[in-house]
Amino acid sequence: MQQHEKRRIRGCDLVPREKFEKLEGVVRKIYSQIGVIKEDGLWMPIYPETEKTLGYCFIEYNTPQEAELAKEKTHGYKLDRAHIFAVSMFDDFDRFMKVPNEWAPPETKPYTPGENLQDWLTDAKARDQFVIRAGSDTEVLWNDARHLKPDPVYKRAFGQSFVQWSPLGTYLATVHRQGAAVWGGAASFNKLMRYSHPQVKLIDFSPGEKYLVTYISHEPSNPRDANRVVINIFDVRTGKVMRDLGSADDFAVGGAGGVTGVSWSVFKYYLVKVENIMDFCWSSTDPIIALVVPDMGGGNQPARVSLIQIPSKEELRQKNLFSVGDCKITYTGFELFRIKERDIPIEVLELENKNDKIIAFAWEPKGHRFAVIHGDNPKPNVIYSMRTGQNSQVSKLTTLKGKQANALFWSPAGRYIVLAGLKGFNGQLEFYNVDELKTMATAEHFMATDIEWDPTGRMVSVWSFNGKHLYRILKDHLFQFLWRPRPPSFLTPEKEEEIAKNLKKYSIYEAEDQDVSLPLSEQEREKCRMLKEDWDKWVNEWKQIHEESLQRQKLRDGEASDEEEEYEAKDMEVEEVMDVTEEVLHLEYGHWSRV
């Protein structure tokens, strides 16, 4: 038995023996939600003279992490108005006993500055990083497109369930059975903080990376009960739990009266108190959220979309939707809310064939266009639409017919898009320039399941933005590939546009690109020379084999083949003189005689 897995809990009620079982059940229920209590791991001491509990108990878990989490979550827990839990680690008793009777000033430790967590942004080659999780290893690498290969940064066997970058790329988060951790630094990727939340399933960062949200869902013992969602909000830098939402009854999803299942991040569902929300999303530029509420009355209460102003919670606009069920629209059309215009007018965009199925829809980042894949045949159509000006109708740019695509991936900088045929479409990729309305390249990545643009819009996984295949990375048991995000630029849109128009003026990499191209050219020449040597060697070997074959053919009276089974057996009669003997014969009259 390990002492550091025990906890002493004060604040329990002093009850007689007949109420002992009830109190033990209450305490066990509270602490069983945090971790697995060992068999005979709950002990309440009893005062022999009164046969009452002493007001405290001991609990032992299977792991130290669960015991630490129990202290963190229940210290100060109000059992009722008169009883508040005070939780201590069992090891704390030794530490308390060693406290000296006289006060001594604490030792002053010199300040040591921490590592610059944004150091990777100062890379002299302006490269981007990505993380690969394959097998038991997690690797961080530079994308060195000039040298056509990845440059390793860090590798470690984390033993995690998955990894995730923070929104601005400062931290790499790993999710484990006992909770989450964040790592960072220039090259060392030291562990910066740990967040204890056993059996954590999902995590999410706040947009400014100040908070980390962890999520678990407890399945009920009774199938008719709802799943219970537990959410913790941590301060990223200190690791302190800022808020524990696990005890709120509102955090139950599924069952009667609600939408079955849960979608991450579940945390977003409770920013505004609205019953039966199916989904919602933030505006990319304004503090406005769009809520989708499904049809809950069998047709009597239609589905609706609402625009809500935050933080005032004022409903700016509402639209009832008919013939809508479970997010599957049976009537094909788009209703666009112009939130920048007075009274938020709604514009309807219908497809030519109203029965077409919508396969994918995606807005252009940093732009005003969108793309739609629609149709029911194996090769659906792709259309691009845009708003040509304020107070004008949405107009169609073009329609691309018969594309092997079921997913759309815009470049983060806009303008370029990848039309991808994932999974069942065998990884067909088309790199398309929407400004010029032309295809730049097509490629294939057999059975591809995901496409990832780098944060600058220059690379797609290991393709360039215009579809040039740069290099290949082979990994067994690949689980994740994630580009490291970059913080937003400090430049104004006007300044970015001015730089784009005068890119050569600001370019500082032309000399480096030339220096890289020279050794690459030399490598190509060396590769060609080696190929020519191999070719000449093969030709010489072939000539030698051919000459030997001619000699054998000559010996076989012109038979060309060396294969015995190709010969035909024939019977031939051959007369051959075996031996010659000379004898002298004497001839006499009337008869012969032999000498």
Side-chain angles (χ1 to χ4, degrees):
M1 183 180 295
Q2 301 180 24
Q3 291 184 343
H4 61 266
E5 295 177 8
K6 285 186 177 180
R7 295 294 177 274
R8 180 178 184 267
I9 303 170
R10 294 179 289 111
C12 298
D13 197 2
L14 280 70
V15 299
R17 182 173 293 276
E18 58 267 19
K19 294 184 179 181
F20 178 85
E21 185 176 347
K22 181 178 180 181
L23 176 60
E24 181 185 13
V26 171
V27 174
R28 185 180 295 275
K29 180 179 180 181
I30 293 173
Y31 285 90
S32 294
Q33 295 179 359
I34 299 173
V36 179
I37 300 176
K38 279 190 172 183
E39 186 176 357
D40 299 328
L42 175 58
W43 177 49
M44 287 188 178
I46 297 177
Y47 192 65
E49 296 181 1
T50 63
E51 293 189 350
K52 287 185 176 182
T53 59
L54 297 178
Y56 58 87
C57 68
F58 295 89
I59 293 179
E60 185 177 5
Y61 286 101
N62 285 317
T63 64
Q65 291 81 6
E66 290 174 331
E68 291 172 2
L69 182 63
K71 176 184 177 181
E72 181 180 303
K73 287 187 169 297
T74 61
H75 182 68
Y77 178 83
K78 292 184 179 181
L79 184 62
D80 54 39
R81 292 183 179 181
H83 299 88
I84 300 175
F85 286 170
V87 185
S88 302
M89 303 286 289
F90 198 78
D91 289 347
D92 289 343
F93 292 101
D94 292 335
R95 182 168 56 87
F96 295 152
M97 295 301 295
K98 295 177 182 179
V99 175
N101 294 328
E102 295 183 2
W103 178 83
E107 180 183 356
T108 303
K109 296 181 180 180
Y111 170 73
T112 54
E115 192 173 8
N116 181 9
L117 301 181
Q118 279 74 37
D119 183 78
W120 65 281
L121 292 170
T122 63
D123 178 55
K125 299 179 181 179
R127 298 175 298 180
D128 282 287
Q129 288 185 356
F130 56 84
V131 62
I132 291 179
R133 191 173 70 88
S136 60
D137 293 331
T138 296
E139 296 180 73
V140 179
L141 304 103
W142 288 108
N143 173 45
D144 202 333
R146 293 184 178 89
H147 291 88
L148 304 181
K149 64 178 182 179
D151 188 5
V153 177
Y154 185 71
K155 181 177 181 180
R156 177 177 175 141
F158 283 111
Q160 74 288 342
S161 58
F162 67 91
V163 299
Q164 181 174 325
W165 292 108
S166 59
L168 305 180
T170 306
Y171 308 104
L172 177 65
T174 57
V175 177
H176 311 263
R177 188 173 66 90
Q178 295 301 333
V182 294
W183 311 71
S188 59
F189 274 84
N190 297 314
K191 182 188 287 187
L192 304 175
M193 187 54 62
R194 182 178 62 86
Y195 314 94
S196 181
H197 195 171
Q199 309 302 325
V200 61
K201 301 298 183 184
L202 298 167
I203 66 170
D204 201 6
F205 286 88
S206 64
E209 302 182 337
K210 187 175 181 180
Y211 302 105
L212 176 72
V213 181
T214 59
Y215 160 90
I216 63 173
S217 177
H218 293 296
E219 294 185 2
S221 57
N222 188 342
R224 289 178 295 180
D225 294 338
N227 285 359
R228 189 165 186 82
V229 172
V230 179
I231 292 176
N232 286 342
I233 304 176
F234 293 90
D235 185 291
V236 169
R237 293 192 176 184
T238 65
K240 181 181 178 181
V241 177
M242 306 302 295
R243 189 169 183 183
D244 179 359
L245 302 175
S247 59
D249 293 336
D250 288 341
F251 284 85
V253 294
V259 181
T260 303
V262 60
S263 176
W264 185 247
S265 165
V266 69
F267 179 71
K268 69 183 182 180
Y269 282 83
Y270 304 97
L271 294 173
V272 178
K273 183 68 174 181
V274 180
E275 297 292 337
N276 303 318
I277 292 178
M278 177 185 293
D279 200 359
F280 104 94
C281 65
W282 283 95
S283 165
S284 59
T285 57
D286 300 281
I288 298 174
I289 57 175
L291 309 176
V292 180
V293 178
D295 184 344
M296 299 299 298
N300 296 326
Q301 297 179 4
R304 72 178 191 275
V305 175
S306 298
L307 299 181
I308 307 295
Q309 180 82 44
I310 299 296
S312 67
K313 301 181 183 179
E314 176 187 358
E315 186 174 54
L316 302 177
R317 192 73 157 83
Q318 177 180 315
K319 173 68 175 180
N320 291 335
L321 301 176
F322 297 90
S323 302
V324 177
D326 193 23
C327 277
K328 295 180 181 178
I329 302 178
T330 58
Y331 172 86
T332 302
F334 298 93
E335 297 192 357
L336 308 176
F337 292 73
R338 299 184 182 274
I339 61 175
K340 296 290 186 180
E341 299 179 17
R342 184 178 179 181
D343 297 329
I344 311 182
I346 301 175
E347 181 176 341
V348 178
L349 174 66
E350 297 180 358
L351 299 180
E352 294 179 0
N353 186 351
K354 296 181 180 181
N355 295 321
D356 271 1
K357 177 183 177 181
I358 300 297
I359 300 174
F361 177 94
W363 286 103
E364 177 189 22
K366 296 185 177 181
H368 49 266
R369 294 171 289 201
F370 60 85
V372 182
I373 302 178
H374 64 94
D376 294 318
N377 53 54
K379 292 185 178 182
N381 301 323
V382 182
I383 66 170
Y384 297 91
S385 296
M386 65 175 295
R387 187 171 59 205
T388 56
Q390 193 170 2
N391 298 322
S392 64
Q393 296 294 318
V394 173
S395 60
K396 182 174 69 175
L397 288 176
T398 188
T399 299
L400 308 177
K401 295 185 177 294
K403 294 295 180 180
Q404 289 186 323
N406 56 8
L408 300 165
F409 299 92
W410 284 96
S411 163
R415 183 179 180 182
Y416 305 107
I417 191 172
V418 175
L419 314 179
L422 303 181
K423 299 181 180 179
F425 279 36
N426 294 331
Q428 299 293 326
L429 306 178
E430 182 172 343
F431 298 80
Y432 195 79
N433 185 331
V434 184
D435 281 358
E436 300 179 6
L437 299 179
K438 69 176 184 180
T439 299
M440 298 180 293
T442 58
E444 180 180 352
H445 189 169
F446 182 67
M447 295 304 293
T449 59
D450 295 279
I451 301 292
E452 292 283 347
W453 280 89
D454 85 315
T456 65
R458 297 178 296 176
M459 309 291 170
V460 186
S461 296
V462 288
W463 280 274
S464 65
F465 73 95
N466 58 359
K468 179 182 179 182
H469 193 204
L470 301 177
Y471 55 84
R472 186 183 301 272
I473 304 174
L474 300 178
K475 292 289 182 181
D476 293 330
H477 306 291
L478 177 66
F479 296 109
Q480 286 182 277
F481 177 99
L482 299 171
W483 289 101
R484 189 171 192 175
R486 283 179 172 267
S489 172
F490 290 107
L491 300 176
T492 63
E494 293 76 18
K495 186 64 176 179
E496 289 184 357
E497 184 177 355
E498 189 268 330
I499 291 176
K501 292 180 179 179
N502 302 279
L503 193 58
K504 292 185 178 181
K505 173 183 175 182
Y506 296 95
S507 178
I508 60 174
Y509 299 107
E510 291 184 357
E512 181 181 347
D513 290 343
Q514 185 176 4
D515 293 340
V516 172
S517 64
L518 291 177
L520 286 178
S521 300
E522 183 61 31
Q523 292 175 12
E524 291 296 327
R525 286 193 291 271
E526 179 65 17
K527 183 179 179 180
C528 292
R529 185 186 64 78
M530 294 178 65
L531 289 174
K532 186 176 185 303
E533 289 181 356
D534 292 341
W535 169 258
D536 292 340
K537 181 180 178 181
W538 182 86
V539 169
N540 292 332
E541 291 176 352
W542 183 87
K543 285 182 179 179
Q544 183 178 354
I545 294 172
H546 183 63
E547 291 175 357
E548 293 175 355
S549 177
L550 291 176
Q551 291 293 332
R552 291 194 298 273
Q553 182 178 353
K554 183 178 180 181
L555 294 173
R556 291 192 298 263
D557 292 332
E559 290 291 343
S561 176
D562 289 333
E563 303 295 334
E564 293 183 1
E565 59 269 16
E566 295 185 8
Y567 293 113
E568 180 182 357
K570 296 181 179 179
D571 294 332
M572 299 179 64
E573 294 183 2
V574 179
E575 295 182 358
E576 183 178 358
V577 178
M578 301 301 296
D579 193 10
V580 178
T581 303
E582 184 178 352
E583 294 184 0
V584 179
L585 300 177
H586 296 275
L587 178 63
E588 294 182 0
Y589 183 78
H591 55 270
W592 296 90
S593 65
R594 175 181 293 179
V595 179

